[in-house]
Amino acid sequence: MTTWLNMSLQDGASPIMEQLVFFHDHVLMIMLMITTTVSYMMITLIRNKQTSRFMLEGQMIETTWTIAPAIILVFIAMPSLRLLYLMDEVHNPSLTLKAVGHQWYWSYEYSDFTKLEFDSYMIPQEEQQESTFRLLDTDNRIVLPMNSPIRMIVTAADVLHSWTIPSLGVKTDATPGRLNQTSFSISRPGILYGQCSEICGANHSFMPITIESVPAKYFIDWVSKMSE
Ligand SMILES: [Cu+2]
């Protein structure tokens, strides 16, 4: 989750998010290179008076500064497309979780089990304890097994919402009458936080998402306890 003075992205809790962070850093390095070169050239132009009666045309430099940006763009586009298709792929999921957005809470259905579904409301400030995170904790957390591919089905019951977990690199629109699909696997145990990311009405800020990532053994225990 985000903590004080966290300026960049959250640490990746899934292999995809890790790759997204690498890609972000890669693009930043290219941007740094370009801004340095361009500002150096601009400052030089301002500080010097450059006139020459021989510098009327320059085929070579013009070709170079047209081709070079195109090549740089390829270096951004290739890893970007790779990630895009990697995120789109659903690799033989071992579990399916369906999230339904409501005004203003999420409800979840574990379609692989019978009658395993619940609503998940934000814990209001009055009911907070020492351990709860304000505006982020819910009364019913999603429990998911770590290290297993999970298919997410996201939809909404009333208006547009967006199911988002930044540390998993997941952000899927919840649209009424439509099922959107993504997948992820969580690489470590812990609690992951997210919020609705589509302006959905008055209490848009108060429908957080909480995932409890646990080892598979504990997940099975939880399922059997829930479906008793
Ligand atoms: Cu919403």
Side-chain angles (χ1 to χ4, degrees):
M1 67 180 298
T2 35
T3 46
W4 298 114
L5 303 177
N6 187 348
M7 293 215 287
S8 191
L9 298 159
Q10 293 178 38
D11 286 347
S14 75
I16 285 283
M17 188 55 202
E18 233 147 60
Q19 293 291 314
L20 284 170
V21 173
F22 291 152
F23 177 65
H24 168 266
D25 297 349
H26 165 74
V27 175
L28 260 184
M29 288 317 288
I30 293 176
M31 277 171 61
L32 191 73
M33 194 175 75
I34 294 170
T35 25
T36 316
T37 319
V38 171
S39 17
Y40 169 73
M41 287 165 85
M42 283 170 74
I43 291 166
T44 329
L45 273 172
I46 291 164
R47 292 183 52 172
N48 300 293
K49 196 170 185 247
Q50 288 172 336
T51 44
S52 163
R53 62 197 174 98
F54 299 112
M55 255 174 68
L56 295 173
E57 62 171 335
Q59 291 291 332
M60 187 57 198
I61 187 93
E62 280 173 19
T63 315
T64 314
W65 71 41
T66 311
I67 304 283
I71 295 171
I72 293 173
L73 283 181
V74 170
F75 275 99
I76 299 174
M78 286 305 168
S80 169
L81 283 171
R82 185 188 78 104
L83 266 171
L84 199 67
Y85 285 107
L86 217 55
M87 289 167 78
D88 199 40
E89 197 74 51
V90 176
H91 315 269
N92 188 27
S94 56
L95 187 77
T96 301
L97 174 66
K98 183 179 169 193
V100 187
H102 301 261
Q103 276 178 320
W104 287 275
Y105 62 97
W106 290 97
S107 64
Y108 299 98
E109 297 168 20
Y110 287 74
S111 328
D112 300 301
F113 310 100
T114 44
K115 279 193 201 162
L116 184 45
E117 49 189 73
F118 53 84
D119 296 340
S120 179
Y121 285 86
M122 185 191 79
I123 294 180
Q125 215 162 320
E126 311 86 72
E127 291 166 32
Q128 272 197 109
Q129 293 167 335
E130 282 287 291
S131 57
T132 44
F133 286 104
R134 195 178 73 97
L135 305 182
L136 281 178
D137 261 310
T138 54
D139 55 354
N140 287 306
R141 288 175 178 159
I142 313 161
V143 178
L144 286 175
M146 56 184 267
N147 285 331
S148 32
I150 290 149
R151 177 194 0 239
M152 272 302 302
I153 303 283
V154 182
T155 186
D158 33 51
V159 296
L160 294 175
H161 299 274
S162 184
W163 197 86
T164 310
I165 299 286
S167 54
L168 289 180
V170 171
K171 179 172 280 183
T172 310
D173 280 348
T175 314
R178 202 189 135 87
L179 291 174
N180 280 328
Q181 180 181 257
T182 43
S183 70
F184 56 81
S185 79
I186 311 170
S187 15
R188 54 164 169 270
I191 303 175
L192 312 172
Y193 292 99
Q195 289 173 301
C196 177
S197 301
E198 175 74 55
I199 310 289
C200 57
N203 290 329
H204 161 65
S205 333
F206 312 114
M207 45 180 298
I209 300 148
T210 321
I211 296 183
E212 217 176 290
S213 166
V214 295
K217 187 181 155 296
Y218 293 90
F219 174 73
I220 294 165
D221 291 349
W222 176 79
V223 168
S224 46
K225 198 185 271 178
M226 286 292 282
S227 35
E228 262 169 19

